[in-house]
Structures are given as structure tokens and as C-alpha cells.
Amino acid sequence: MKAKTVLGSAAVGVGLGTLLLPAAALADTTVSPATTPVGGTVVLTTTCNPKAGDALFRVTGPNRDQNVRSTTAAAGGGLSAELFTAGFTLGTYTVTATCGDGSNGGTASFTVTPIGGAQAGAGGRDGDTGVLVAGGALAAAAVAGGTYVMVRRRRRASVVA
């Protein structure tokens, strides 16, 4: 009796999974290119069905929380939109798509770098630079003090012997 119940539950689970899997498999969002300089353009693409209505891309990151609506059909199917990154702060942004029927269209991310391709955060003077310098000085003082104590103990031990 218990085996039939387990098999029945498993069959129902497989059946529901089979129905829901295609929708989940189709929910995909991409951003191209994955890294762009400030003022560059990224293309947001989702596999949402255009017949279900417009896709809504939500862009969140260091200084953004904005929506980009897409009505443009993508070349490989789905919907796409272009996003111009002028005025964006350096860092990583997350794009979440919602299909016109309210279903999840997937998530992707992209990184905005300085013009010229230097790594985000490289160069310049940050508010954390002073903290890093102070931490480095304290660590160096701790190593120097430890070395001094060990050398002094060894000298005492050799004098006593």
C-alpha cells in the first residue's frame, strides 16, 4: 500500500515538473557585452515570448534602480533592449527580466569599467586608502616587534649558555 502511495506521489511530481520545466527553461536573460566602459552600450536580451507582451528589464546596481521596457524582437527570438551606460557608477549591475505575462524572464549581470578598460576601483584615491595604509603599518609594526622579541630572547639564551 505504501509503495503505491510513493509511486503515485512521484508520478504527480514528475508530471508537474514536466509541465513547469519548459517555462523555466525558456526564462533566460543575457547581457552583451558582460563588461563595458562608462558610456558604452549593453544589449539586454530575454527569451520571453513577444506574444505575451513587452518585457520589463529592471537594472539595479551601485547608483541605479531603473526599468527598461522592451518591445523590440530579438534576432534569435525573445525581446531585447539597448542600455546606454553614461552616468553609471563603476561596478556590477544586475538585470532581472519580467515577461509580459508576469513570469520571470531570468537574471544576468554586467560590469561598468572606466574608459580605457582599467579595472574598476584601480587607481585614484578612495576613502578606504587611509584605512589600508594604517592597517599595513600596524601589521608591519607587529611583525617587527615580534622579530625583535625573538632575536632578544635568542641572544639572552646564547649569553646564558
Side-chain angles (χ1 to χ4, degrees), residues 84-111:
F84 187 54
T85 62
F88 277 55
T89 298
L90 304 181
T92 300
Y93 292 81
T94 301
V95 178
T96 304
T98 303
C99 301
D101 60 4
S103 64
N104 183 355
T107 302
S109 62
F110 66 96
T111 302

Side-chain angles (χ1 to χ4, degrees), residues 10-158:
V12 170
V14 168
L16 287 174
T18 304
L19 291 174
L20 297 175
L21 183 62
L26 292 176
D28 188 29
T29 295
T30 58
V31 179
S32 179
T35 302
T36 186
V38 172
T41 301
V42 293
V43 178
L44 315 173
T45 306
T46 184
T47 54
C48 293
N49 185 349
K51 292 180 182 176
D54 302 348
L56 186 65
F57 296 98
R58 182 169 182 200
V59 180
T60 56
N63 71 333
R64 286 282 186 257
D65 188 356
Q66 73 182 65
N67 293 322
V68 179
R69 184 170 298 279
S70 172
T71 57
T72 306
L79 295 165
S80 69
E82 289 187 352
L83 180 64
F84 187 54
T85 62
F88 277 55
T89 298
L90 304 181
T92 300
Y93 292 81
T94 301
V95 178
T96 304
T98 303
C99 301
D101 60 4
S103 64
N104 183 355
T107 302
S109 62
F110 66 96
T111 302
V112 175
T113 60
I115 295 173
Q119 290 295 324
R125 187 159 177 99
D126 248 332
D128 293 337
T129 304
V131 174
L132 290 174
V133 169
L138 289 172
V143 169
T147 304
Y148 172 77
V149 168
M150 291 192 60
V151 168
R152 191 169 175 197
R153 284 184 184 171
R154 284 190 183 164
R155 283 188 184 165
R156 277 190 189 168
S158 64

